[in-house]
Amino acid sequence: MMLTAGMMLAASIGQGAMADSAAANDVDWVATWGDNSEGQLGDATTEQRHTAVRALSLSDAEQLAGGTSFSLALLPDGSVKAWGLNSDGQLGDGSGLPHRTPGTVAGLTGVVAIAAGDSHSLALLSDGTVKAWGDNDSGQLGDGTTTDRQLPVTITGLAGVVAVGAGLNHSLALLSDGTVKAWGDNASGQLGDGTRIERHTPVSTISLSGVRKIAVGGDHNLALMSDRTVKAWGRNGFGELGDGTAIPSRDTPVAVSGLTGVAGISAGEFHSLARLRNGTVKAWGYNTFAQLGDGTLTERRTPVNVVGLSDVERIVAGGWHNLALLEDGTLKAWGRNDLGAIGDGTTTRRTIAVTVVPGLTDIDTIAAGQFHSLAG
């Protein structure tokens, strides 16, 4: 990502880092904003930021991921950086100590994708296996134990993985054959295996084949199918499964009502998003913080239109807010903003999508944590 002329790097002032615009220096960087109570913005402070600042010591990122109070970055060389809270080992450096700037996850090479949960992390390797580290109280690391891990461990019995996702206390993997494996907490049926039994190694999600993409929320999941429809399972207390019912949870996948022509999916704490092939966005679930972007605070149990969005290229859901990257490079956001996660320079809740403060261009990847946002 590049910085347009005239936009200052607020984090760099007094930090000894670059303070010039990338328009002049052609420097790529990773931008972060929002909650910073645990250093998850990576700017060497714990100051809340309402506009984008620079995560120090990161010149580029292939992919970003945000957890509850920590962040991950996949670098072009296949290594992973992590920063923020480290109480459960979620930074993977063996120290258990928090970091206000990015540090290296130990022993990882050949990584092609990353995911961040509440307090655990996943890395998909180029050989189709998966590493995990951090909190493991519910078996979300998939190594057959409930022991927290300060360093990455291999998930048992997984091969041929093409995508991974991390929730509050559970994890998912999409396999190359279009099926899904899941492990960890299962109190709301979020593993989709027809039970409520916690699993410490991966099990198959029932009745799923032909899956193109997966998205993991707090305690629910989405699967984009080969016919461009969406299935969902897990918690449904606020309608986050989008099946039009008030059934509190589902332990096997059900169809999201009325969705066709879907190109992308993402899931937040208690809400869900779908990007359609025509460039518009649908949302459903919890809406107290305006995370559905329909101009109301009304909970929705079936998909509704996110107001004023078109030509959307990419979407991502945080805990209580969302980001949408448009084809022209504009970044939009909506939802909860009391900690600055929207990035528009305010702490005003946004019921419809607004533009993240101008200046971010050439964005390749976006991510959202519980109360913070990232772009690179």
Side-chain angles (χ1 to χ4, degrees), residues 262-307:
V262 177
I265 51 176
S266 192
E269 184 91 5
F270 301 125
H271 74 286
S272 305
L273 302 176
R275 177 178 62 88
L276 305 190
R277 297 178 80 178
N278 66 8
T280 62
V281 177
K282 299 276 190 178
W284 59 98
Y286 194 51
N287 200 24
T288 296
F289 297 102
Q291 53 266 62
L292 303 190
D294 67 343
T296 79
L297 302 179
T298 304
E299 177 184 301
R300 308 290 186 176
R301 294 188 173 269
T302 56
V304 296
N305 290 320
V306 176
V307 174

Side-chain angles (χ1 to χ4, degrees), residues 15-80:
Q15 302 294 334
M18 183 193 76
D20 295 326
S21 74
N25 295 299
D26 196 28
V27 175
D28 290 329
W29 62 301
V30 171
T32 59
W33 59 96
D35 182 29
N36 197 26
S37 55
E38 301 295 340
Q40 59 263 51
L41 301 189
D43 68 341
T45 80
T46 54
E47 296 178 24
Q48 187 181 116
R49 305 291 189 174
H50 304 156
T51 57
V53 296
R54 180 181 179 175
L56 301 179
S57 305
L58 280 180
S59 59
D60 197 7
E62 293 290 314
Q63 186 181 343
L64 298 165
T68 292
S69 297
F70 71 103
S71 304
L72 303 176
L74 171 59
L75 303 191
D77 65 0
S79 64
V80 177

Side-chain angles (χ1 to χ4, degrees), residues 40 54 60 81 83 85 98 100 119 140 156-157 159 182 195 202 205 226 257 270 272 274-275 290 326 340:
Q40 59 263 51
R54 180 181 179 175
D60 197 7
K81 297 281 189 179
W83 61 100
L85 187 65
R100 297 179 183 177
S119 300
Q140 58 264 49
T156 302
T195 79
T205 298
S226 58
S257 179
F270 301 125
S272 305
R275 177 178 62 88
L326 307 191

Side-chain angles (χ1 to χ4, degrees), residues 234-241 245-249 270 285-286 299 301:
R235 195 183 191 282
N236 194 37
F238 299 101
E240 51 265 62
L241 301 190
T245 76
I247 295 172
S249 60
F270 301 125
Y286 194 51
E299 177 184 301
R301 294 188 173 269

Side-chain angles (χ1 to χ4, degrees), residues 250-262:
R250 301 279 197 175
D251 54 25
T252 57
V254 296
V256 176
S257 179
L259 269 187
T260 60
V262 177

